[in-house]
Amino acid sequence: MTESAHARKIAFAAFVRRALDDARAMRAWSGTEVSRRTGVSRQTINRWVRGDWASDPEAERVVAFCEGLGLNPTAAFAALGWERAATPRAATAPPPMDPDVEALLRRLVDPNVSDAEKFHIRETIRYLAYRPSLPVDVRKRGNRAG
């Protein structure tokens, strides 16, 4: 293994450890919760922490890990020595955002909105983002009821 490959592994492992420490300290998330919210298996995360990987992590998994923890993937890419433009997601424009979601995001950054209200907005979004999906037949029944 070259020195640069070893240095990248160490840098990425440190990035992942910091992200996990922050998730534990700020959100009280366990490793299982981090895995659930990011969609990256605990085994993969543990390999990243140890720097125990033969080929670079998949960009999509790195992005999912970062986004699940509310981090900008650019820092992870920098640790890996990647350029952000090299990722598949960067090539496509984001889909248009729902106006209601835009309104919530504006409230979250508005200095006139109380911290308590921002907390409730975040908790509601978190609940909706991670709740189990309804089975298809239940959704169809709801549409017919109206």
Side-chain angles (χ1 to χ4, degrees):
M1 176 184 336
T2 66
E3 278 188 49
S4 65
H6 185 67
R8 289 181 329 108
K9 284 184 176 188
I10 291 172
F12 186 63
F15 169 83
V16 173
R17 270 194 296 282
R18 278 192 308 274
L20 292 173
D21 289 346
D22 288 348
R24 286 183 192 111
M26 294 170 39
R27 298 178 177 143
W29 288 356
S30 65
T32 301
E33 185 67 11
V34 169
S35 178
R36 186 180 75 79
R37 291 187 184 249
T38 63
V40 179
S41 73
R42 289 186 66 181
Q43 294 82 2
T44 297
I45 294 170
N46 288 335
R47 278 197 313 275
W48 290 351
V49 166
R50 293 188 313 267
D52 182 21
W53 31 275
S55 59
D56 281 355
E58 295 173 17
E60 292 81 10
R61 285 188 182 180
V62 174
V63 170
F65 177 78
C66 292
E67 289 178 351
L69 295 176
L71 303 172
N72 187 334
T74 305
F77 287 14
L80 287 163
W82 297 348
E83 292 184 27
R84 176 72 172 147
T87 66
R89 281 198 183 187
T92 61
M97 190 173 299
D98 183 281
D100 294 329
V101 174
E102 284 182 353
L104 286 172
L105 293 174
R106 280 194 302 275
R107 292 190 68 74
L108 286 172
V109 297
D110 185 345
N112 297 319
V113 174
S114 72
D115 288 341
E117 185 173 349
K118 289 179 183 181
F119 172 81
H120 289 293
I121 291 170
R122 284 189 187 97
E123 288 299 307
T124 302
I125 291 170
R126 218 172 266 128
Y127 165 75
L128 292 171
Y130 299 107
R131 73 183 174 99
S133 297
L134 291 173
V136 174
D137 61 335
V138 172
R139 281 186 250 159
K140 288 180 184 176
R141 271 187 275 152
N143 291 339
R144 287 187 300 219

